[in-house]
Amino acid sequence: MIAATPFAGGGVALAAAASWAVSTTLVKGAIVRFGPRAFNVFRCSVALVLFWATSLAVEGTSALGAVATSDGRELLLSGAIGLALGDLFLFVSVRRLGAQPAIAFNQLSPVWSALLGWMLGAEELAPVEYLGIAVVIGGVLLIIFGRAPAGSSDQDELHPRSERASGVAAGLLSSLCNAAAGMMTRHAIGGVGELAGSTLRMTGGAAGVLLVSVCLGSLRADARPLRALPSLRKELLAVFLATFLGILMQQAAYARLEASVALCLLSTTPVFLLPLAVGILRERYLPRAWLGTLLATAGIPLLLSKGGDATMAAPTNARDPHSFARPSEASVKHLDLDLAVDFGKRELSGRASLELVAASGAKALVLDTRDLVIERVTTSRSCPAPNAHVPDTAAEFELGEAATNPIELGRPLKVELVAALARGDRWVNVEYRTSPIAAALQWLAPEQTAGGRLPLLFTQSQAILARTWIPCQDTPAVRMTYSARVRVAPTPGTAGRPLLALMSAENPQRRVENGLYEFRMPQPIPSYLMALAVGDLEFRPLGPRTGVYAEPSVAAQAAYEFADLEKMVAAAESLYGPYRWGRYDVLVLPPSFPFGGMENPRLTFATPTILAGDRSLVSLVAHELAHSWSGNLVTNATWNDFWLNEGFTVYFEHRIMQKVFGTEFDDALAVLGLQDLERSMRELNDAGQPADTCLKLKLDGRNPDDGVTEVAYEKGARFLQVVEAAVGRERFDAFLRRWFDGNAFQSRTTEEFLAFLRQELGIERPNLERDVEIDAWVYQPGLPGNSPRVTSSALQKAEREVARFVAGASAADLDANSFTTQQWQCFVRGLPNDLTMERMAELDAAFDLSRRGNSEILFAWLVRCVERRFEPAFPALERFLTSQGRRKFLKPLYQELHKSEWGKELARRIYEKARPGYHAVSRDTIDDVLKWGK
Ligand code: BES
Ligand code: ZN
């Protein structure tokens, strides 16, 4: 299926070219009779009616809806540029140069698009494809110039020199328009179906053509063929063939091929025209034309020779190696969930109804699932609302083989669509339940919560775990809005008070008696941002649109810690534009939450380990808040583009921190971040994975978790800092804002970002490429030489105290009592590797390091204790590893322990006890570190 795509694309492209050849022979007379412009008006008007009639019949009003998206608008514009402006230039060129040379110039479109694609980084053609383009164009040109002169006088002689120059210019412009339109179509087609896409292009084209006639004051004259409509039967057939079917096929080709390859195949019309012109129109051609036919035909296989390679550098619909979904065939635009939460069985059960946008000819909807029990699948015309009876029809479905090797991708759920779509059904309803081992879900027993009396459930969907609790297209390239009803049964011990349910959506602020909660997420989000939490939670407002949810015993502490939340939202907005999600709340979860934070829209999930009591760890909230722009608004299209989420977010996080807490504080965070990055790069190199130090990742066949390293975060942020330094902060901020605004609610690839960067900043800064070293930053391992230097006077002070201690000063004499959290981190990290047990003990006694409540300081200290085998700290180590499950803290400690025999033994003893309390995300990581169960 995948491998066949370029071949199928090649087939439709050639069929489109052939349809244009046939129609050319059919309409030649009419063009001569009415003139090219009038014929164009005729052709576009008729096709416009055909397209809209078909679209409305097949897809209802969804084509209209597509106009509202940025992809839709791009298609309208591409129609206007390609079909109206491009043709206008072509007519001018034909008039001034004659048909042959004008058409020959027009063959340059694939050259333009290959050139532009290469310059903008939008295409990655193989050498054989460049060769194919050259051979095909060469062949086609031979055909064009192989036509024997019609009469004795050579047409070219009739055109004066001055006309020829403008004719050449018009020919060049026409081919440029054609190329630009092709590239735009290629870019936007993933987001809009092929039929809707063609309809939009035709609409743009027809509007443009009519506008030209109006501007030239020739509308009445140009409408002549329309008045003669009934007599133009042959021409109507030609329009149906070439303009309707041809454009539809052209669109299908763009969806499957690189723009240059598609353009080149589409320009083979003369190859098909030649036999028709000779056979039907009785035109004569020279032998070289036949040679051209051979040459062009030979070039076609070269263009498609990459056919076996499924990794087309496709922009928006780049295939995601971590999902079975085939969104270009049918994609989910809205999800309606109806779920019951059963703590006893550790099970969610109910229905997921998915509203589809299907491409014409779609055969199946493919969903990702993992460990789900699928009970029934039906289709219906509308969403089966809880109380209204909506007739539904059982659908055929098939649950594929489980893909577990080398990573657990789960099982594709394939739902047959042909019959359903024919009936007009647009909703697929999946009745299902989750398994008790669903990896996204952690069902906490009462004793694992702060309150200790009631159970709690939370989800973690990023990166590919949403499929373990919702059947969905689990790829960041697909976005959907959602609505949900969640039923929470009364739990023993709640004394009639049901637990509170929250989602990444509009949330309740207090519990309801009947335990039925309703949610709505009106903005389209990718599946990895689906989230649910159910527990004994209470809400505390912090500002007009900010607040915090936590277990009652933690709520006051949480409200104190996040007091600056409202200010942070305001700071973020002042940088990159309005916060588009309504409210921003934070949910503080129990300590087993495997991450520091998770940017679930409207409701960040956070670890309680950032409740330091002194607000010193709130940069984590700045980070998750920043994701409301970088990540949630503009999303990485695949996990290979993860740095687009995290690098941008770390950059943005620092900007928020600078605004709210000052540059001095932020400098300290930046220095620690750089230390993290350098350590992480060293480890990746030592592990023989230097490729993982590139920003653009290659995670095919691997767990997306492998890409979660400091590289995406810190190297990504530093790359943006380098660009900022090259163009200046003001211009860079405006640029970033345009990126967020222009790509809002879309998923984007690294290549799309780089194209935007070069286009928006490269023109004013011709040296951008050289100054920034874009390629080195994105596609090469390691840290380029222009990586920004940072220093922090606060941390330098901590380093001086380390030096004094090393030189012999006693711990008690150190000037460390007023150290900030970050100074402590720096101090502990800076201690030499060969401290004696006595000196370690001296530090511990003087500063109580093993008994710190601040998780970052304690963590930094425990790492050093394991390195030095400082046994007096091991009870603290065991407490730390068994009392929280944040992967960032667990992994380095277990890794360090795993380096020695005594450490392995200790690690295994602790892990045995701690493992049942960890979330699956952390468990999987540590299983790997300790080779647990192997
Ligand atoms: N989205 C990430 C967490 C994540 C990444 C989960 C990849 C699953 C797969 C979140 O925004 C994040 O980066 N959290 C960091 C905190 C941040 C301050 C660096 C964390 O949890 O440590
Ligand atoms: Zn993040």
Side-chain angles (χ1 to χ4, degrees):
M1 161 72 200
I2 310 154
T5 306
F7 292 120
V12 283
L14 292 172
S19 77
W20 295 333
V22 172
S23 83
T24 305
T25 53
L26 290 176
V27 300
K28 209 167 172 183
I31 295 184
V32 174
R33 188 168 136 212
F34 297 111
R37 209 177 46 238
F39 187 75
N40 217 18
V41 168
F42 165 76
R43 171 179 85 121
C44 289
S45 317
V46 172
L48 186 68
V49 174
L50 281 175
F51 270 114
W52 275 107
T54 317
S55 260
L56 291 174
V58 175
E59 296 188 341
T61 48
S62 69
L64 276 175
V67 184
T69 69
S70 65
D71 287 336
R73 290 191 296 269
E74 192 167 355
L75 285 164
L76 275 172
L77 190 63
S78 104
I81 291 179
L83 297 169
L85 203 58
D87 281 358
L88 186 70
F89 283 128
L90 182 64
F91 298 149
V92 172
S93 159
V94 168
R95 197 155 347 111
R96 311 228 152 147
L97 298 180
Q100 263 161 292
I103 293 173
F105 270 116
N106 213 35
Q107 300 302 309
L108 286 176
S109 338
V111 177
W112 289 123
S113 96
L115 200 68
L116 285 170
W118 174 73
M119 271 168 42
L120 301 175
E123 287 190 354
E124 269 175 63
L125 293 188
V128 47
E129 289 170 314
Y130 286 115
L131 182 67
I133 292 180
V135 172
V136 171
I137 295 181
V140 171
L141 288 178
L142 276 177
I143 303 175
I144 295 173
F145 290 111
R147 218 180 100 194
S152 51
S153 68
D154 190 333
Q155 290 231 330
D156 276 8
E157 292 308 308
L158 299 176
H159 300 281
R161 237 164 211 286
S162 60
E163 278 204 2
R164 260 186 272 165
S166 58
V168 167
L172 288 175
L173 281 173
S174 160
S175 62
L176 197 58
C177 286
N178 212 6
M183 292 177 76
M184 289 165 77
T185 309
R186 170 79 187 87
H187 178 253
I189 192 68
V192 181
E194 283 158 31
L195 178 60
S198 305
T199 306
L200 291 178
R201 282 197 70 209
M202 201 63 239
T203 309
V209 166
L210 289 176
L211 190 71
V212 168
S213 290
V214 170
C215 291
L216 297 177
S218 61
L219 190 61
R220 271 187 71 85
D222 292 345
R224 264 183 312 134
L226 279 177
R227 288 196 290 272
L229 197 74
S231 65
L232 296 176
R233 251 175 260 143
K234 206 169 60 175
E235 286 73 11
L236 281 172
L237 174 67
V239 170
F240 174 73
L241 260 182
T243 317
F244 180 71
L245 288 185
I247 286 187
L248 212 54
M249 291 190 285
Q250 179 187 35
Q251 208 77 356
Y254 282 127
R256 290 165 179 78
L257 300 167
E258 297 280 16
S260 316
V261 173
L263 277 161
C264 191
L265 291 169
L266 291 166
S267 71
T268 55
T269 303
V271 176
F272 298 97
L273 191 55
L274 177 62
L276 294 172
V278 172
I280 299 173
L281 301 179
R282 304 275 163 222
E283 287 175 0
R284 284 194 322 108
Y285 279 82
L286 304 173
R288 63 171 180 237
W290 297 102
L291 182 69
T293 307
L294 277 182
L295 200 61
T297 314
I300 291 169
L302 296 179
L303 281 175
L304 299 175
S305 62
K306 253 200 352 182
D309 181 357
T311 56
M312 297 192 297
T316 11
N317 53 357
R319 255 201 63 91
D320 178 347
H322 299 109
S323 167
F324 291 109
R326 305 198 301 234
S328 58
E329 189 174 348
S331 73
V332 175
K333 72 172 198 185
H334 183 86
L335 162 70
D336 182 75
L337 280 176
D338 195 324
L339 291 177
V341 183
D342 188 331
F343 278 97
K345 289 202 222 155
R346 301 198 154 188
E347 176 186 289
L348 301 176
S349 64
R351 174 181 52 73
S353 287
L354 310 150
E355 187 187 4
L356 306 184
V357 191
S360 42
K363 295 205 165 41
L365 168 72
V366 183
L367 299 172
D368 293 293
T369 76
R370 184 179 147 195
D371 299 325
L372 296 182
V373 180
I374 307 295
E375 273 146 5
R376 213 164 80 95
V377 181
T378 68
T379 64
S380 53
R381 257 180 185 253
S382 57
C383 183
N387 302 319
H389 177 68
V390 172
D392 58 358
T393 315
E396 248 179 78
F397 71 92
E398 183 188 340
L399 206 51
E401 286 297 309
T404 50
N405 206 3
I407 38 165
E408 300 220 28
L409 292 178
R411 307 170 67 176
L413 171 63
K414 190 171 160 202
V415 183
E416 293 302 327
L417 286 185
V418 177
L421 292 176
R423 266 197 309 277
D425 285 1
R426 287 290 174 280
W427 288 79
V428 169
N429 314 301
V430 184
E431 287 164 31
Y432 73 103
R433 60 200 148 84
T434 61
S435 137
I437 59 157
L441 306 179
Q442 192 173 15
W443 298 90
L444 294 177
E447 58 277 14
Q448 291 174 285
T449 66
R453 289 189 313 109
L454 295 166
L456 188 144
L457 162 72
F458 70 84
T459 63
Q460 168 58 42
S461 298
Q462 197 181 10
I464 53 170
L465 302 180
R467 64 190 71 177
T468 69
W469 66 289
I470 302 169
C472 60
Q473 293 183 312
D474 201 4
T475 164
V478 173
R479 317 177 77 88
M480 62 200 175
T481 49
Y482 79 85
S483 41
R485 277 166 309 286
V486 174
R487 260 169 269 276
V488 183
T491 331
T494 49
R497 274 191 332 172
L499 301 173
L500 180 65
L502 301 170
M503 291 191 82
S504 48
E506 290 169 5
N507 273 309
Q509 293 184 343
R510 58 178 69 83
R511 328 153 186 267
V512 293
E513 288 305 320
N514 62 5
L516 172 63
Y517 294 93
E518 300 206 23
F519 302 90
R520 214 170 64 92
M521 168 42 83
Q523 290 94 347
I525 59 165
S527 58
Y528 77 88
L529 296 175
M530 291 298 306
L532 168 70
V534 182
D536 183 17
L537 300 167
E538 82 174 44
F539 174 74
R540 303 241 172 161
L542 295 169
R545 55 176 166 168
T546 51
V548 59
Y549 294 87
E551 288 189 69
S553 63
V554 186
Q557 209 187 334
Y560 175 82
E561 208 77 25
F562 303 141
D564 294 313
L565 205 51
E566 192 74 33
K567 262 192 244 162
M568 292 164 103
V569 179
E573 286 191 311
S574 75
L575 285 165
Y576 302 121
Y579 177 76
R580 306 207 196 195
W581 307 86
R583 292 192 57 86
Y584 180 72
D585 297 318
V586 176
L587 164 63
V588 178
L589 284 162
S592 68
F593 184 60
F595 293 103
M598 176 65 216
E599 66 273 26
N600 298 317
R602 293 177 139 264
L603 184 65
T604 282
F605 283 18
T607 169
T609 62
I610 52 167
L611 302 179
D614 59 3
R615 301 178 184 165
S616 63
L617 301 178
V618 291
S619 66
L620 183 131
V621 177
H623 177 96
E624 306 311 336
L625 167 65
H627 272 307
S628 308
W629 287 258
S630 46
N632 299 4
L633 192 59
V634 184
T635 308
N636 53 205
T638 77
W639 299 117
N640 289 334
D641 306 298
F642 186 51
W643 79 276
L644 287 186
N645 274 17
E646 298 300 345
F648 275 59
T649 298
V650 171
Y651 173 85
F652 193 170
E653 166 195 341
H654 283 296
R655 299 295 304 279
I656 296 174
M657 292 307 288
Q658 289 164 8
K659 270 200 182 267
V660 181
F661 300 96
T663 46
E664 211 165 297
F665 183 61
D666 187 61
D667 286 344
L669 298 175
V671 170
L672 292 173
L674 180 58
Q675 290 176 0
D676 289 336
L677 175 61
E678 283 167 346
R679 183 187 26 79
S680 184
M681 292 236 183
R682 241 190 342 267
E683 285 170 4
L684 287 167
N685 282 326
D686 292 349
Q689 294 166 334
D692 287 349
T693 68
C694 301
L695 286 182
K696 175 83 183 192
L697 296 167
K698 293 200 175 90
L699 296 168
D700 307 33
R702 299 166 63 193
N703 193 324
D705 262 3
D706 290 2
V708 186
T709 73
E710 297 294 341
V711 173
Y713 289 81
E714 294 291 336
K715 183 180 175 184
R718 304 192 131 252
F719 170 46
L720 296 186
Q721 284 161 359
V722 174
V723 180
E724 183 204 313
V727 303
R729 180 161 278 195
E730 204 177 317
R731 195 173 299 165
F732 187 66
D733 280 349
F735 159 77
L736 268 194
R737 172 129 192 211
R738 285 199 299 279
W739 171 251
F740 292 135
D741 286 345
N743 298 283
F745 301 109
Q746 304 288 332
S747 304
R748 294 290 179 236
T749 62
T750 300
E751 289 64 35
E752 286 169 313
F753 172 68
L754 295 184
F756 184 77
L757 174 74
R758 289 177 168 128
Q759 175 193 318
E760 296 281 310
L761 297 176
I763 293 163
E764 287 172 66
R765 288 278 319 203
N767 293 339
L768 186 76
E769 207 76 34
R770 207 195 52 214
D771 294 351
V772 174
E773 300 178 51
I774 298 177
D775 183 73
W777 275 97
V778 178
Y779 295 105
Q780 307 297 326
L783 257 191
N786 59 1
S787 179
R789 266 157 258 288
V790 274
T791 55
S792 145
S793 48
L795 297 196
Q796 279 166 346
K797 176 167 166 34
E799 279 161 4
R800 279 198 302 275
E801 295 307 300
V802 173
R804 285 184 55 218
F805 182 66
V806 171
S810 76
D813 283 344
L814 296 182
D815 181 13
N817 285 320
S818 58
F819 268 6
T820 62
T821 300
Q822 288 70 29
Q823 283 175 311
W824 273 119
Q825 284 178 276
C826 179
F827 177 88
V828 173
R829 288 179 183 192
L831 292 171
N833 291 330
D834 55 0
L835 282 188
T836 61
M837 294 303 116
E838 290 70 32
R839 296 236 81 190
M840 293 287 284
E842 192 189 331
L843 283 174
D844 206 2
F847 304 115
D848 238 0
L849 293 170
S850 298
R851 279 208 300 250
R852 286 292 169 130
N854 184 306
S855 61
E856 292 285 357
I857 301 174
L858 179 61
F859 165 70
W861 169 246
L862 290 174
V863 171
R864 307 312 310 267
C865 292
V866 177
E867 280 169 12
R868 295 300 302 131
R869 195 176 174 177
F870 179 62
E871 293 187 1
F874 287 1
L877 172 69
E878 181 164 348
R879 234 178 295 127
F880 189 63
L881 290 174
T882 47
S883 62
Q884 55 79 36
R886 188 172 168 189
R887 187 168 72 172
K888 175 186 126 172
F889 292 152
L890 302 184
K891 189 177 174 190
L893 287 168
Y894 281 111
Q895 264 174 337
E896 196 53 46
L897 284 168
H898 196 67
K899 287 181 184 163
S900 63
E901 282 315 310
W902 63 265
K904 275 185 198 164
E905 215 180 290
L906 179 59
R908 294 190 145 255
R909 189 177 64 67
I910 297 177
Y911 189 48
E912 177 132 45
K913 204 160 80 178
R915 191 174 181 277
Y918 293 162
H919 185 279
V921 161
S922 293
R923 220 164 45 214
D924 285 351
T925 304
I926 308 305
D927 280 358
D928 231 34
V929 170
L930 300 182
K931 317 253 176 308
W932 191 258
K934 288 196 188 114

